[in-house]
Amino acid sequence: MPNMSLKKVPIPEQDPQVRNKNFDEVALGYTEEMAIEEAKRCLNCKHKPCIAGCPVNVQIPEFISLIAEGKFAEAYETIIQTNSLPAVCGRVCPQETQCEQRCVRGIKGEPVAIGRLERFAADWAMKHLEKTYEKTPRNGKKVAVIGSGPSGLSCAGDLIKMGYDVTIFEAFHTAGGVLVYGIPEFRLPKALVQKEIDGLLAQGVEIRTNMVIGKTFTIDELFQEGYSAVFIGSGAGLPNFMNIPGENLNGVYSANEFLTRINLMKAYKNDADTPIKRGKTVAVVGGGNVAMDAARSAIRLGADKVYIVYRRSEKELPARLEEIHHAKEEGIIFKFLTNPIRILGDENGWVTGLECVEMELGEPDASGRRRPVVKEGSQHILEVDTVIISIGTSPNPLIRGTTPDLETNQWGCIVADEQTGQTSKEGVFAGGDAVTGAATVILAMGAGKAAAKAIDEYIKSKG
Ligand code: FAD
Ligand code: SF4
Ligand code: SF4
């Protein structure tokens, strides 16, 4: 019997007033019974519109019917045919603009909770299935992968299965890219990411950390070392700033630095080597997922008041709906149509406030969004001791600066073929945020997989 409820089966969560003081995961996941009940909401539509909304074409109705039948191991096997990181994607994919947006149950009521079900299957498998890795015979060719984020991991995962010797060169001391240094523990437990990385290591992928390509080696030097092809998955980790007075004051962070100190260096622990300012009143400037993560981390560090300062209206907030909802529940204060113009400091150079103006929405701009214009006489000061800037990131210039024949565009992104990831330089492929600018985990993974296929064809074509 299908479950015709208009609402998704709710997912158990930590209480907002408890969770805003700890870094443990917010959503606790479905039980087997809840997963079966939610899976029964799926109508197993003939034309499967939901699949077209998934960038890696997960066979959604198929895995959901298997969950409905209690065949959890089979459901997991179905998902991993096209998605190698289901525990990650089930948690962080923006499902509301991807698979779930196309779900017919969403026309009248809420769509099927595809992401929650994917997470359930992945978590169930991690708990119950012994993962064994077959080592494919080596073919004697080496491929270098730059960066260990989702694009690099998925590219390496596919290439190792094809028989290549794969080495990932990672600038940080820990592998995982944004999955470990950006997205906080309370949304994506780091142990899950580590399990995926352990899987790659078990299959023979070599990961060399503290290796900054462009400094330790150039791409040309990698070819001299005998690599037949190179995949660049170096992301877009260079923070943008507002260029307003006061950005150099103590207590001003880029969201990337703030989150890296917390996630990677565990600065929230009292015995951590890396210090972080535990602001009492914090303003986070920006409205994307990164801004929500920074604000929700700041409140967990013990802030009394955390503001999100965003120059457009609530409707334009680019963050995932779930993150906005969680941020509100946890007590984050949203200041919409507000734009910072100056950061104020005391005589010792520490932040004391954020001077802002209010905005009104004017005519639509080129993106179709109504352009915010300053409201006369609206200047005011938010008294804060910490300001976190989260207005976007760009690719780091190191690789393009040391690879003159690598074409990049006006935003510093690598120009690469959409289908294959082929760049202007022979044997060099690229994908993920380094090509698209800041985007999503699943798109980065998709690009890594497509490039792995193209790299295989390229190397084979060379004989
Ligand atoms: P990255 O994950 O950025 O990995 C690149 C790796 O390359 C890094 O480890 C970096 O250290 C390394 N590197 C860089 N330069 C070099 C070099 N010269 N030599 C060697 N290594 C190098 N997406 C979602 O889908 N859902 C979300 O909820 C979500 N939340 C986010 C929250 C935050 C805080 C951030 C920052 C991003 C979020 N994103 C989210 C976006 C998503 O994480 C990225 O789109 C995705 O990680 C991009 O993957 P990537 O492999 O291209 O790059
Ligand atoms: Fe949806 Fe992401 Fe899973 Fe695709 S990978 S089905 S978009 S949650
Ligand atoms: Fe199931 Fe929705 Fe996909 Fe139809 S569109 S098969 S109801 S998930």
Side-chain angles (χ1 to χ4, degrees), residues 53-58 60 63 83 89-90 93 95 98-100 114-115 118 442:
C54 170
V56 294
N57 293 332
V58 168
I60 296 166
F63 96 76
N83 178 359
C89 296
C93 259
Q95 291 104 9
Q98 297 183 338
C99 50
E100 292 184 17
I114 302 169
E118 186 169 304
I442 192 73

Side-chain angles (χ1 to χ4, degrees), residues 91-94 98 145-153 169-172 174-184 187 208 210-217 231-237 255-256 259 263 289-291 293-294 320 323 393 396 398-399 431-445:
R91 287 172 166 82
V92 306
C93 259
Q98 297 183 338
V145 170
I146 305 173
S148 62
S151 67
L153 294 178
F169 294 88
E170 168 54 50
F172 273 140
T174 306
V178 169
L179 304 181
V180 295
Y181 80 74
I183 304 180
R187 279 213 294 132
R208 297 178 68 184
N210 299 314
M211 290 281 172
V212 184
I213 300 304
K215 272 206 168 140
T216 325
F217 297 112
F231 173 75
I232 310 174
S234 50
N256 261 41
L259 289 169
N263 291 321
N289 284 326
V290 184
D293 284 342
R320 291 188 58 204
E323 307 319 325
T393 53
N396 191 299
L398 202 55
I399 290 180
D433 285 5
V435 170
T436 55
T440 63
V441 170
I442 192 73
L443 286 173
M445 275 181 55

Side-chain angles (χ1 to χ4, degrees), residues 41-45 49-50 60-61 64 102-105 112 114:
R41 292 185 66 232
C42 174
L43 304 176
N44 211 343
C45 308
C50 45
I60 296 166
I64 293 183
R102 310 282 184 104
C103 174
V104 295
R105 292 298 309 262
V112 174
I114 302 169

Side-chain angles (χ1 to χ4, degrees), residues 20-130:
N20 68 8
K21 296 175 193 68
N22 69 53
F23 278 82
D24 298 339
E25 193 171 15
V26 168
L28 306 173
Y30 280 157
T31 60
E32 292 185 5
E33 294 70 26
M34 289 171 182
I36 291 174
E37 198 186 336
E38 179 61 22
K40 286 186 176 161
R41 292 185 66 232
C42 174
L43 304 176
N44 211 343
C45 308
K46 200 164 146 223
H47 299 299
K48 312 174 179 189
C50 45
I51 297 183
C54 170
V56 294
N57 293 332
V58 168
Q59 295 304 300
I60 296 166
E62 203 178 322
F63 96 76
I64 293 183
S65 353
L66 288 163
I67 291 183
E69 291 170 38
K71 296 181 177 165
F72 306 134
E74 290 86 343
Y76 171 73
E77 293 301 332
T78 305
I79 299 169
I80 58 163
Q81 279 167 25
T82 52
N83 178 359
S84 49
L85 299 176
V88 174
C89 296
R91 287 172 166 82
V92 306
C93 259
Q95 291 104 9
E96 66 271 26
T97 56
Q98 297 183 338
C99 50
E100 292 184 17
Q101 191 184 41
R102 310 282 184 104
C103 174
V104 295
R105 292 298 309 262
I107 299 170
K108 225 182 180 187
E110 290 181 351
V112 174
I114 302 169
R116 291 177 187 175
L117 290 172
E118 186 169 304
R119 166 193 168 154
F120 165 78
D123 289 359
W124 187 92
M126 247 180 226
K127 213 160 143 197
H128 296 92
L129 300 182
E130 182 73 38

Side-chain angles (χ1 to χ4, degrees), residues 7 35 52 59 81 112 115 118 144 176 184 198 214 218 225 238 243 269 281 313 347 357 383 402 410:
K7 295 234 169 234
Q59 295 304 300
Q81 279 167 25
V112 174
E118 186 169 304
D198 290 345
T218 62
E225 290 289 311
L238 186 72
N243 297 321
K269 293 187 175 165
T281 40
S313 70
E347 62 285 4
V357 284
E383 283 183 16
T402 51
Q410 69 207 84

